[in-house]
Amino acid sequence: MGSAAASSESALGPEAAAIAGGYAFTGPALDLGALLWDGDCLPGAQIRIPLAMLNRHGLVAGATGTGKTKTLQLIAEQLSAQGVPVFLADIKGDVSGISAPGEENEKVRERAAAVGQEWVGTGHPCEFYALGGIGPGIPLRATVTSFGPVLLSKVLQLNQTQEQSLGLIFHYADAKGLELVDLKDLRAVVAFLVSDLGKPELKGIGGLSTVTAGVILRALTAFEQQGAGEFFGEPEFDTSELMRQAPDGRGLVSVLELAAVQRSPQLFSTFLMWLLADLFHDLPEVGDLDRPKLVFFFDEAHLLFNGASKAFLESITQTVRLIRSKGVGVFFVTQTPKDVPADVLAQLGNRVQHALRAFTPDDAKALKATVKTFPNSPYDLEEVLTGLGTGEAVITVLSEKGAPTPVAATRLRAPQSLMGPVGDEALDRAVKSSLLYGRYAEAIDRESAYEKLQAPEAVAPPASAPAPERDDPSLIEQVVGSGMFKSLARSIGTQLGREISRSIFGTSRRRR
């Protein structure tokens, strides 16, 4: 044993052998590539990530064109092969190829030989989704009630005061049994609460100003003009669909096709956060598993954090921190680590950093900031990070004991699935042959707040009409007495039933 270790160190050199030794895991692991050291690619020094550490979250970063998407594909197909479901957001429309075997060519053969990879073209079981059915994919929708006021405020770019008012509107709708299924429902409730008939409903707790209501209504109108109205409605997507395995035991790869909605980047970023939040309050605590229950890749992560309030960032940080114990791993994908707030970055145990460019003073500043986020290393990381080629990255992950591995410049393996999109016909065939297509394809427009408010006397009698005799307290009396507006997440009882319980993001907890 000692002789073999000495021989390996002699072949690699002491520094390279020390790095390689940090990746010699005994349990199941994903193979990322081969060590780059002193200008050479060393296939005898494999860089890997333990399967059990994939729920410790991660970051895939790098400049445009450096290979981030291929890295996602490489990790996702190996997770699927190990029986772990994966969620991928396909921003550019080129991830669908993960469902088809890759095509061997000279570049693939050269890459495989250089990194010690036995390459075999392999497709993986996939489901394809689209937000609201815009673009190819099974329609993925959420109700406005489920989406909640916090995430909706973020996507509508409301300020703190307007967000609080939106929370009040949601509370009123919950308490009065006015289901907010789509955007016309929300618009109807806002209009009602500033009408002569609706103003008394909230008078005892401060009411809703006409100016704030106008801002919210204008934001909703602009939002709908971007096509966002298609994303809200029923049937609402059940996020447990993302946790499935194929009949052969491989993990199902769920691909959300977003190329058709690139004009609404704030929406799809916030929608991804809704998916995570929904998973968060549906899944039980499981602690540390030998493999994650789901790995979720959050592409274009900077869009989520741009302009985010302190409270919103705190909610993201809390969700990321706590969802690990529910068996879900989250990888944020973006251009530089500085796109991710420090408190969130601190939760990420695995790092794949592709090349960075330093053409401008801001680039140089970002490069220095990135280098500081890595553990001490024998590499000159500023030089290495600007000199990496496409499909190369600087990597550090968590070992099986949870400690950071040595920093390793790595030439990554080639994905074994198709590196590009599948044809339109193949994609359409895959979507329509899915068992889920019949469940989610057709939108349903049932009676909800909009329809109920067409007969406002059913919601609140006019001020001039005598109130019916009853023993139970009024809505306003209950709200004032409950301290609801110190914490919008607290549910209260009303004469029309129990208010929807909401999570840290204001998303509703649905019973399934």
Side-chain angles (χ1 to χ4, degrees), residues 154-288:
K154 174 68 169 63
V155 79
L156 294 178
Q157 301 182 44
L158 303 182
N159 64 29
Q160 184 176 1
T161 300
Q162 294 155 1
E163 180 180 329
Q164 291 170 347
S165 294
L166 187 62
L168 172 63
I169 293 162
F170 268 73
H171 163 66
Y172 174 80
D174 289 349
K176 278 289 189 177
L178 296 170
E179 297 91 342
L180 302 177
V181 174
D182 52 28
L183 293 180
K184 76 176 185 297
D185 291 323
L186 179 57
R187 195 167 51 243
V189 173
V190 175
F192 171 75
L193 289 175
V194 292
S195 70
D196 291 340
L197 187 62
K199 283 179 182 178
E201 288 288 288
L202 297 181
K203 188 176 180 181
I205 49 176
L208 175 67
S209 79
T210 304
V211 172
T212 298
V215 171
I216 293 172
L217 287 171
R218 286 193 296 274
L220 286 171
T221 299
F223 194 35
E224 284 187 289
Q225 288 174 347
Q226 298 176 31
E230 301 291 335
F231 310 135
F232 294 96
E234 292 180 321
E236 184 171 67
F237 182 67
D238 184 344
T239 51
S240 66
E241 308 284 12
L242 304 178
M243 315 289 290
R244 295 178 296 133
Q245 291 182 325
D248 62 5
R250 289 184 294 171
L252 201 63
V253 181
S254 298
V255 181
L256 179 59
E257 295 290 342
L258 293 169
V261 292
Q262 288 194 44
R263 59 181 177 166
S264 306
Q266 199 81 11
L267 172 68
F268 67 67
S269 178
T270 313
F271 203 98
L272 295 184
M273 199 66 236
W274 172 79
L275 289 175
L276 266 188
D278 197 67
L279 284 166
F280 173 76
H281 53 60
D282 274 1
L283 292 174
E285 294 281 336
V286 293
D288 289 325

Side-chain angles (χ1 to χ4, degrees), residues 41 70 73-74 77 100-122 390-391 411-420:
C41 182
K70 299 300 178 284
Q73 197 168 336
L74 174 68
E77 62 186 26
E103 298 173 353
E104 187 174 10
N105 55 41
E106 189 60 33
K107 286 187 177 180
V108 168
R109 285 191 290 269
E110 287 178 1
R111 170 73 57 144
V115 301
Q117 176 185 12
E118 295 182 10
W119 191 93
V120 178
T122 309
T390 301
R411 181 165 296 162
L412 296 163
R413 292 182 168 221
Q416 293 179 290
S417 52
L418 184 64
M419 289 187 277

Side-chain angles (χ1 to χ4, degrees), residues 344-369:
V344 177
L345 201 61
Q347 306 294 324
L348 312 181
N350 305 300
R351 294 275 303 277
V352 180
Q353 177 66 61
H354 288 268
L356 291 173
R357 308 304 179 212
F359 298 130
T360 69
D362 284 345
D363 292 341
K365 186 177 179 180
L367 174 63
K368 290 183 181 296

